[in-house]
Amino acid sequence: MPRAVREAQMLDAATRIFAARGFRDTSMDEIAEACGITKPMLYAYFDSKEGLFSAAAERASETLRASVRAASEAERKPELRLWRGLVAVFEFVEQNRESWSVLYPYGPTSSGPFAEAAARARDAMSGLLTELFAAAAADEGMSASAARDAEPFAHALTGATIALASWSSTHPEEGVEAHALRLMNFAWMGLGNLTRGKLWVPPAQRRARRAR
């Protein structure tokens, strides 16, 4: 079997078991058995349980970022780029709950591989959002120096996104767009507008309202 295929099988099994049992209660024996391989082969690929966990988290992070980037770059208007990117995050959570659990296990993760993997994924997502914010600022005519101020806002939005996405995983009945719309209004409209009942809605809903 080609190495890339075997490695993908190992990561699939590891993601599934880490998500179900947590890092500490997962054994390399269990993952090796799920893959139909020996434990020494698992160590040969990833060196340690920590290395395997980190690889599973990194793959999930890369997949999430690729989804967000593709969704946001399909739009030209800044507000729609943000909207599509947020929808992509919540779609990822809905369709890849095990991967999300490996990236951001719900609850405190103060130390160990959980915290390290989550921090790397969070920084990578913040970097992507900084790019999107800076591009949107430039499209709106802002100077390069002003556009650079996007970085702290990107980190703030990343934190809010992770928190709401983790919450949404326990409330799947509300739907992807409902969760994304909450965050869109929080980020795009702000609490001041929300308290006055001024809401952002997707273009399709705007058209439907005008047609009534």
Side-chain angles (χ1 to χ4, degrees):
M1 182 179 293
R3 180 182 177 90
V5 176
R6 174 69 76 187
E7 184 172 312
Q9 285 186 342
M10 295 177 185
L11 291 175
D12 288 343
T15 298
R16 184 173 65 253
I17 296 171
F18 279 132
R21 299 174 62 81
F23 177 80
R24 292 172 183 80
D25 292 332
T26 293
S27 71
M28 294 291 269
D29 289 295
E30 187 177 9
I31 295 172
E33 182 179 354
C35 298
I37 61 172
T38 63
K39 187 165 68 170
M41 179 179 287
L42 199 56
Y43 278 101
Y45 273 69
F46 299 103
D47 294 326
S48 64
K49 187 168 76 167
E50 289 80 2
L52 178 55
F53 181 87
S54 294
E58 180 61 28
R59 186 180 68 161
S61 177
E62 290 176 356
T63 302
L64 172 58
R65 291 199 310 275
S67 298
V68 172
R69 185 182 293 278
S72 63
E73 289 182 349
E75 299 285 352
R76 294 185 60 85
K77 295 180 64 175
E79 65 180 289
L80 295 183
R81 295 186 72 184
L82 179 58
W83 166 243
R84 295 302 177 192
L86 294 177
V87 170
V89 171
F90 289 97
E91 286 178 341
F92 178 91
V93 176
E94 182 180 67
Q95 298 165 11
N96 304 274
R97 296 194 185 281
E98 292 171 342
S99 293
W100 183 263
S101 294
V102 169
L103 270 179
Y104 304 110
Y106 198 58
T109 56
S110 58
S111 62
F114 280 136
E116 295 167 9
R120 287 195 297 272
R122 185 170 56 249
D123 288 345
M125 180 58 71
S126 295
L128 172 58
L129 287 176
T130 299
E131 290 179 29
L132 296 178
F133 280 11
D139 288 344
E140 292 295 308
M142 290 181 66
S143 66
S145 60
R148 282 195 294 271
D149 287 338
E151 184 174 358
F153 294 112
H155 279 268
L157 181 56
T158 298
T161 302
I162 293 168
L164 184 54
S166 293
W167 182 86
S168 76
S169 67
T170 63
H171 298 76
E173 71 283 354
E174 297 194 28
V176 166
E177 290 206 356
H179 296 307
L181 192 56
R182 287 192 182 98
L183 191 56
M184 182 69 185
N185 272 285
F186 177 75
W188 190 259
M189 300 298 289
L191 291 176
N193 280 318
L194 292 180
T195 59
R196 291 190 290 271
K198 295 181 179 179
L199 302 178
W200 185 92
V201 296
Q205 292 185 26
R206 297 176 205 169
R207 290 192 294 269
R209 288 181 179 181
R210 288 196 294 267
R212 290 174 185 170

